[in-house]
Amino acid sequence: GRKFVVGGNWKMNGTKAQINEILGFLKAGPLNADTEVVIGVPAIYLDYVKSNAPANVEVAAQNAYKAEKGAFTGETSPLMLKDIGVNWVILGHSERRQIFGESDELIAEKVAFALSNGLKVIACIGETLDERDAGKTEEVVFRQTQAIANQIKDWSNVVLAYEPVWAIGTGKTATPQQAQEVHQSLRQWISKNISPEVANAVRIQYGGSVTGANAKELGSQADIDGFLVGGASLKPEFVSIVNARQ
Ligand code: 13P
């Protein structure tokens, strides 16, 4: 079976005081030992959180560039993440795509570069409301996944996060059936276009208005292997989302 993996994407939130509260409820847990927990932390706090997070919680950056070092003002290198003991990075979040103009190709290059430097990657995909309304959900999700497949061969350190853009921060969660439908057809597409082995092993998280109240039913779907949680990852209810699948 695929190990359940729950990510908390803090986005551009947190002060040291707020972070200490979050670390407090993560330490108190208890967190299901069968679930992998990864928190996505703003770059400036990564070192602090890495030093203060409980051992059963892994730490992710929310972005990383596709070069080792050099004249890339404002960027973070995968080598810098490794240097401070951070082993995960979230790439291709819809906010990176939409607000910062990151293309499928750039994201795929970042995924490949991060993997080649020993990071594990949560790679985000998902359609906008217009794309869903136009019946293009699968086309978009497959295109975004194909871009990554063009750049990497080994998927063992990749988690896919399916995050329909219309469900992010809106309180409009995909129904468990809507989410399962996309996860299942994505897994079938991976089986056909990458390999049955990758399709069987790769974990696909759902993200978009996940809460303590809806996590259990979403998490019981056959092809949902975890969550990527935004707003609720800043609150104690994150613990119950981590423990949604017991
Ligand atoms: P919300 O859980 O706040 O909808 O955010 C989801 C998300 O974008 C996680 O990456």
Side-chain angles (χ1 to χ4, degrees):
R2 297 178 292 267
K3 188 169 187 177
F4 210 63
V5 55
V6 175
N9 178 9
W10 294 0
K11 310 193 179 185
M12 196 175 73
N13 293 294
T15 57
K16 272 202 182 176
Q18 191 182 4
I19 287 169
N20 289 337
E21 285 177 25
I22 295 171
L23 294 176
F25 68 66
L26 291 173
K27 273 172 200 154
L31 306 176
N32 182 352
D34 294 331
T35 295
E36 211 168 345
V37 182
V38 186
I39 49 175
V41 173
I44 196 166
Y45 295 122
L46 280 168
D47 199 19
Y48 179 76
V49 171
K50 183 65 203 169
S51 302
N52 292 287
N56 56 349
V57 172
E58 296 170 89
V59 177
Q62 298 174 9
N63 189 19
Y65 197 55
K66 53 163 182 155
E68 284 183 10
K69 62 177 181 173
F72 304 103
T73 302
E75 292 295 305
T76 303
S77 157
L79 278 74
M80 294 172 177
L81 298 177
K82 294 292 289 184
D83 191 38
I84 63 165
V86 168
N87 295 316
W88 284 83
V89 62
I90 299 169
L91 291 169
H93 192 277
S94 64
E95 289 145 22
R96 298 300 318 170
R97 294 175 185 268
Q98 298 206 311
I99 304 171
F100 302 102
E102 294 194 9
S103 66
D104 291 345
E105 194 188 2
L106 174 63
I107 291 159
E109 287 170 355
K110 288 180 168 192
V111 170
F113 192 75
L115 291 173
S116 70
N117 283 284
L119 290 173
K120 299 179 190 183
V121 173
I122 295 175
C124 306
I125 55 176
E127 83 286 2
T128 64
L129 184 58
D130 283 352
E131 290 165 338
R132 172 161 285 254
D133 288 346
K136 292 186 172 164
T137 297
E138 293 192 341
E139 178 187 324
V140 168
V141 165
F142 298 166
R143 186 200 74 220
Q144 292 168 334
T145 310
Q146 179 68 60
I148 298 170
N150 291 343
Q151 304 274 351
I152 72 166
K153 286 207 164 59
D154 183 356
W155 286 76
S156 53
N157 287 323
V158 179
V159 171
L160 285 169
Y162 169 61
E163 301 204 297
V165 178
W166 49 270
I168 294 178
T170 58
K172 287 187 198 162
T173 321
T175 65
Q177 293 70 29
Q178 280 176 320
Q180 167 58 21
E181 192 175 274
V182 177
H183 284 230
Q184 185 176 24
S185 65
L186 177 60
R187 207 179 293 284
Q188 283 164 356
W189 182 91
I190 293 170
S191 180
K192 215 172 129 203
N193 295 278
I194 301 176
S195 76
E197 292 72 27
V198 170
N200 187 49
V202 73
R203 292 174 293 176
I204 309 176
Q205 295 173 319
Y206 167 78
S209 297
V210 175
T211 65
N214 61 31
K216 264 208 169 64
E217 204 188 341
L218 283 162
S220 68
Q221 303 300 310
D223 290 290
I224 297 183
D225 308 309
F227 305 115
L228 189 55
V229 185
S233 72
L234 304 167
K235 304 180 201 161
E237 84 180 275
F238 185 64
V239 172
S240 56
I241 298 173
V242 167
N243 295 332
R245 189 185 273 183
Q246 285 293 3

